[in-house]
């Protein structure tokens, strides 16, 4: 994208931030547009603010969306007759402008860079802090493996108030302030990396730490920047495309993520697929016809993403169908109390059991005791819990999110239904309860598939890339 004839659509916090970034590049928009009538006809500095109609059929401008209502504004811009290739989403704009700033060393950080780097010194991005999440747990496990391989590992924590996992004292960990503006955060992060002389940086998110890693790579060409995309949310792909010059390898955790990244134009030679290599139980599970159906869930107990607000509807459907079951949930989250209240008020304590947070060492026994692995998620990257459940013999009944197709052959090793279709999830559970022979066949087939995949894929991908 050329920074010419720029129109910023939005005059709020995001619009002001993008305006500041343009100023840092020695550029300025020719105008702002805004749907807010009270702002139209006014100025930001000396730049006029117009209603959107001024852009009708005007393809001489480059329109940068600078507000949260990205999808609505994008649609409105198309309806005004603006060419699609002249409209840049709020995500595109953020990372494109940041890539320009990095390209020209806009903050003059290069003046303080240390040309020396320490071999075996690695920084790992935990933008959301040491939270109770799959990404953070995986990152800590990788830190242990890298430490065993002789690497010095530093965790950079972007939200110290969210530090729920314990980071062992033999790792260095540093809290990154999130109170300061973006420029200060990036400068401090890069300055820290320079002081540690890291030769490998690993990003797990696309916040200010990721941007700092790209900037650090810009200053030190031989530094290796490994980006890990853990889910298929749009900002990750926008960031990867805009910053691809400063990314050496992009690890993806599902076939769907790889295909989506390739379709966006990311170079295939930089993409590395990571498959979860989960130890499979030696024996197949015993499934009997007259036992209670055992359903398991492990993960964050939340409405957002995990959609556990569907559980009461699914449970009501199972009760209506007179299914005899035990439903065990391992995890905590902001929906925990509300779910517990539903269980108590409906006298379900003997059928729905909230176990809270289980230690990782107990998860194999947890899954070994379940007939069904259930997931209602709106999106995922590639659920480790899903792999653990299948490897222990639980039959997956899940929504069609990233990673589902890598582990599950629909109708053969489990069931995949449309995202949001809780009724289909409930129907599949009812069917498996009524057809225990199919439940057994799917359980065995799933375990066989996991064993075969373990033979095909190596488990030390990240360690190899860090060499």
């Amino acid at each position: 994208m050329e920074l010419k004839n720029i129109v910023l659509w939005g005059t709020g916090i995001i619009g002001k931030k993008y305006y500041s970034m343009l100023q840092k590049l020695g550029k300025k928009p020719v105008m702002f547009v805004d749907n807010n009538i009270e702002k139209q006809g006014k100025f930001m500095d000396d730049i006029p603010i117009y209603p959107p109609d001024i852009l009708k059929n005007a393809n001489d401008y480059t329109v940068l969306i600078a507000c949260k209502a990205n999808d609505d504004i994008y649609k409105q811009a198309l309806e005004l007759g603006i060419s699609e290739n002249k409209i840049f989403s709020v995500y595109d704009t953020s990372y494109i402008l940041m890539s320009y700033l990095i390209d020209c060393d806009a903050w003059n950080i290069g003046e303080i860079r240390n040309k020396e780097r320490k071999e075996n010194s690695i920084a790992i991005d935990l933008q959301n802090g040491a939270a109770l999440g799959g990404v953070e747990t995986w990152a800590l496990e990788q830190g242990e493996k890298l430490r065993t391989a002789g690497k010095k590992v530093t965790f950079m924590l972007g939200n110290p108030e969210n530090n729920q996992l314990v980071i062992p004292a033999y790792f260095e960990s540093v809290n990154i302030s999130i109170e300061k503006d973006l420029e200060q955060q990036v400068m401090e992060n890069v300055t820290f990396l320079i002081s540690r002389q890291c030769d490998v940086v690993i990003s797990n998110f696309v916040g200010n730490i990721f941007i700092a890693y790209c900037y650090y790579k810009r200053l030190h060409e031989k530094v290796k920047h490994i980006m890990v995309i853990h889910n298929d949310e749009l900002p990750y792909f926008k960031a990867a495309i805009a910053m691809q010059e400063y990314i050496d390898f992009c690890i993806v955790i599902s076939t769907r993520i790889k295909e989506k990244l390739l379709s966006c134009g990311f170079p295939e030679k930089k993409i590395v697929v990571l498959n979860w290599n989960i130890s499979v139980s030696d024996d197949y599970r015993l499934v009997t016809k007259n036992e209670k159906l055992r359903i398991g869930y492990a993960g964050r107990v939340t409405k957002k993403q995990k959609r556990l607000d569907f559980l009461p509807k699914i449970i009501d459907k199972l009760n209506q169908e007179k299914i005899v079951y035990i439903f065990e949930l391992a995890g905590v989250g902001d929906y925990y109390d509300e779910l517990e209240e539903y269980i108590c008020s409906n006298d379900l304590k003997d059928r729905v059991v909230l176990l809270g947070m289980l230690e990782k060492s107990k998860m194999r026994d947890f899954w070994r005791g379940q007939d069904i692995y259930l997931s209602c998620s709106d999106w995922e990257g590639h659920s480790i819990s899903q792999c653990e459940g299948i490897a222990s013999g639980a039959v997956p009944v899940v929504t069609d999110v990233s990673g589902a197709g890598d582990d599950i052959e629909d109708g053969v090793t489990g069931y995949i239904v449309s995202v949001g279709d809780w009724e289909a999830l409930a129907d599949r559970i009812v069917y498996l309860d009524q057809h225990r022979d199919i439940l057994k066949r799917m359980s065995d087939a799933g375990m066989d598939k996991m064993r075969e995949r373990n033979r095909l894929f190596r488990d030390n991908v990240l360690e190899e890339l860090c060499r």
Side-chain angles (χ1 to χ4, degrees), residues 174-242:
V174 57
N175 292 323
I176 304 299
S177 173
I178 57 174
E179 302 298 327
K180 300 174 182 177
D181 64 32
L182 180 63
E183 180 175 340
Q184 288 178 301
Q185 290 180 40
V186 171
M187 288 184 68
E188 288 187 6
N189 291 346
V190 176
T191 301
F192 173 80
L193 292 168
I194 291 172
S195 72
R196 292 302 187 272
Q197 301 175 16
C198 297
D199 67 339
V200 178
V201 290
I202 301 168
S203 54
N204 291 300
F205 301 91
V206 288
N208 66 70
I209 297 176
F210 166 78
I211 293 169
Y213 287 0
C214 292
Y215 208 138
Y216 185 61
K217 170 69 178 179
R218 148 78 170 79
L219 300 177
H220 297 277
E221 185 180 345
K222 292 185 179 180
V223 162
K224 191 178 290 184
H225 178 194
I226 301 169
M227 179 186 190
V228 189
I229 299 185
H230 292 274
N231 68 53
D232 62 349
E233 289 184 285
L234 186 61
Y236 287 86
F237 300 97
K238 298 297 186 182
I241 295 302

Side-chain angles (χ1 to χ4, degrees), residues 37-282:
I37 296 174
E38 294 182 0
K39 294 184 177 182
Q40 296 168 6
K42 297 181 180 180
F43 292 81
M44 183 177 295
D45 291 341
D46 60 341
I47 302 170
I49 304 171
Y50 291 111
D53 284 350
I54 198 171
L55 298 176
K56 194 167 186 178
N57 297 318
N59 281 305
D60 295 332
Y61 300 113
T62 298
V63 179
L64 308 183
I65 298 176
C67 57
K68 289 183 178 180
N70 178 79
D71 293 348
D72 292 338
I73 298 301
Y74 198 93
K75 181 180 178 182
Q76 187 180 354
L78 289 174
E79 289 172 349
L80 287 169
I82 303 170
S83 298
E84 190 173 352
N85 63 356
K86 291 288 188 177
I87 310 168
F88 292 84
S89 74
V90 67
Y91 308 114
D92 289 315
T93 301
S94 175
Y95 294 111
I96 289 170
L97 291 180
M98 190 56 65
S99 69
Y100 273 107
L101 289 168
I102 292 173
D103 287 345
C104 66
D105 189 16
W107 292 300
N108 298 316
I109 302 177
E111 295 179 1
I112 63 169
R113 65 178 167 181
N114 186 332
K115 293 183 179 179
E116 299 297 323
R117 299 181 325 282
K118 293 180 180 177
E119 291 187 6
N120 300 323
S121 180
I122 298 175
I124 299 179
D125 158 31
L126 290 181
Q127 180 71 47
N128 297 327
L132 286 173
V135 175
E136 292 79 9
T137 301
W138 175 83
L140 283 174
E141 290 173 354
Q142 297 308 305
E144 294 285 1
K145 291 180 180 180
L146 292 169
R147 177 175 176 269
T148 301
K151 312 293 186 182
K152 177 177 172 54
V153 177
T154 299
F155 288 99
M156 297 179 69
L157 310 174
N159 186 357
E161 294 182 0
N162 202 29
N163 290 346
Q164 298 157 315
L165 294 175
V166 176
I167 297 179
Y170 46 74
F171 290 121
E172 180 181 21
S173 60
V174 57
N175 292 323
I176 304 299
S177 173
I178 57 174
E179 302 298 327
K180 300 174 182 177
D181 64 32
L182 180 63
E183 180 175 340
Q184 288 178 301
Q185 290 180 40
V186 171
M187 288 184 68
E188 288 187 6
N189 291 346
V190 176
T191 301
F192 173 80
L193 292 168
I194 291 172
S195 72
R196 292 302 187 272
Q197 301 175 16
C198 297
D199 67 339
V200 178
V201 290
I202 301 168
S203 54
N204 291 300
F205 301 91
V206 288
N208 66 70
I209 297 176
F210 166 78
I211 293 169
Y213 287 0
C214 292
Y215 208 138
Y216 185 61
K217 170 69 178 179
R218 148 78 170 79
L219 300 177
H220 297 277
E221 185 180 345
K222 292 185 179 180
V223 162
K224 191 178 290 184
H225 178 194
I226 301 169
M227 179 186 190
V228 189
I229 299 185
H230 292 274
N231 68 53
D232 62 349
E233 289 184 285
L234 186 61
Y236 287 86
F237 300 97
K238 298 297 186 182
I241 295 302
M243 299 293 188
Q244 58 183 286
E245 181 181 353
Y246 305 114
I247 299 168
D248 293 282
F249 296 102
C250 186
I251 294 177
V252 298
I253 61 174
S254 77
T255 302
R256 184 181 297 183
I257 293 175
K258 177 182 178 179
E259 291 172 350
K260 194 169 180 179
L261 195 57
L262 286 172
S263 71
C264 291
F266 195 85
E268 186 170 12
K269 65 182 180 180
K270 290 187 175 185
I271 301 175
V272 179
V273 178
L274 171 66
N275 281 279
W276 307 134
N277 198 310
I278 306 295
S279 177
V280 183
S281 298
D282 294 331

